[in-house]
Amino acid sequence: MSRNGRARRTPDCTAAGPRPRVRPRAAAERAEGCERQRSEGAGQAFVIGVLTSAADFEQARAWQLSDAPDHERYLAETAELLGDARRRFDTVRARMFHPQDFAEFCLLHGLDPAEPAARERYLVNPPLRTQLLAYQGEELVDDFLPRLVRARENGLTLRHADLLLDGRLYGERDDAVRAAYERGAEVFRRMLLGAGSGVYELRLAVDAPGGRLAAAARVLQWEDGVVRINDEDLELLCAVLCAGLARELPGLAVLHGAQGSAAACGEYRQTAWAWASEGRVWTPATGPVRLDGVAAEPGYRLETVC
């Protein structure tokens, strides 16, 4: 979780080296192309792909990715491998190993999916770097796996936003994109600041060529203004806001949750605010709205929040 309002970028991986030794032919060691990466001028990093569901595990059997008898055992071996990697490497990163994505990647690049080199190329493919998450010892099944699934979905949205901006979201930003990104981050900051302390979810949708850009994030805001939000969710929200403002696309945002804090004798109030944009600025919705099943009333004027 992050305590600040800036999104981190995941550094690129470079050439692969030997794997750490856990046990011979461990499921994750073979299956997902887990690789030891060496960055120029930096320490060592370890990258692994994880089959996040039993269905994906079964689909990947044809490529002989794992010797584990079932997905449950595979996850146990993967958790052990991640723990060992944290002790051996400076950085440990993971991404969801999606069988359909991998098959399409191999078809596009003329690779044999049964070859380890194909898995290695898939894991460190630069256009998909936004799907990588740092592993910091989280519980694998109930915590880290859902984040890996969201990171893939978020990564596809980030790729869409980057294409809308002609590659300037993750490439060299010009003044217009840089200004739009800063304006979007400021919109998000004012939404939270006006809400006060509490536990919220922000849902965001921007109508864009090629399909809707959508983002959602859970946010915890303390009485002292400290905000806790997953870095990857913060990055997605700012990117979608940036694309909408830079391309002047219409959008809708809903912030809902429990307003209040333990300092106020544990009193909480359910709230839901909505804002809309015609492309240039975000203003309170003109009336009650519903976004992804969440009903909300017009929000407060953001320019009045300092």
Side-chain angles (χ1 to χ4, degrees), residues 101-111 121 125:
D101 290 355
F102 176 58
E104 292 174 354
F105 177 83
C106 290
L107 181 63
L108 178 64
H109 295 279
L111 302 174
R121 285 188 59 182
N125 185 30

Side-chain angles (χ1 to χ4, degrees), residues 156-170:
L156 296 175
T157 301
L158 288 169
R159 180 65 174 161
H160 185 182
D162 192 41
L163 290 173
L164 290 171
L165 298 173
D166 297 324
R168 291 173 293 166
L169 180 61
Y170 289 102

Side-chain angles (χ1 to χ4, degrees), residues 186 189-194 300-306:
E186 181 64 11
R189 187 189 74 84
R190 289 178 181 244
M191 287 178 179
L192 290 182
L193 191 60
Y300 33 88
R301 300 189 67 84
L302 298 178
E303 65 270 21
T304 65
V305 180
C306 299

Side-chain angles (χ1 to χ4, degrees), residues 36-103:
R36 176 178 175 176
Q37 309 293 333
R38 197 181 300 271
S39 300
E40 297 180 6
Q44 296 173 342
F46 180 84
V47 180
I48 183 174
V50 181
L51 296 161
T52 58
S53 71
D56 287 353
F57 177 80
E58 293 300 324
Q59 188 175 347
R61 280 188 183 277
W63 301 319
Q64 299 181 342
L65 298 183
S66 175
D67 290 335
D70 52 43
H71 189 242
E72 183 177 357
R73 182 57 187 168
Y74 160 82
L75 289 178
E77 293 181 353
T78 301
E80 183 178 341
L81 183 63
L82 285 167
D84 183 77
R86 286 199 73 218
R87 291 187 292 271
R88 293 171 178 262
F89 297 93
D90 299 321
T91 304
V92 178
R93 291 192 291 268
R95 58 172 292 194
M96 177 183 178
F97 192 97
H98 192 280
Q100 183 178 344
D101 290 355
F102 176 58

Side-chain angles (χ1 to χ4, degrees), residues 173-197:
R173 294 179 183 173
D174 59 18
D175 291 342
V177 172
R178 188 178 301 108
Y181 194 93
E182 292 174 355
R183 287 166 56 205
E186 181 64 11
V187 165
F188 179 47
R189 187 189 74 84
R190 289 178 181 244
M191 287 178 179
L192 290 182
L193 191 60
S197 60

Side-chain angles (χ1 to χ4, degrees), residues 94-96 128-134 144-158 232-233 236:
R95 58 172 292 194
M96 177 183 178
L128 302 179
R129 66 188 181 278
T130 55
Q131 297 184 22
L132 286 167
L133 293 182
F144 200 57
L145 286 191
R147 288 182 61 198
L148 290 178
V149 175
R150 290 200 309 272
R152 173 183 175 267
E153 296 170 350
N154 291 358
L156 296 175
T157 301
L158 288 169
E232 62 269 20
D233 293 336
L236 181 68

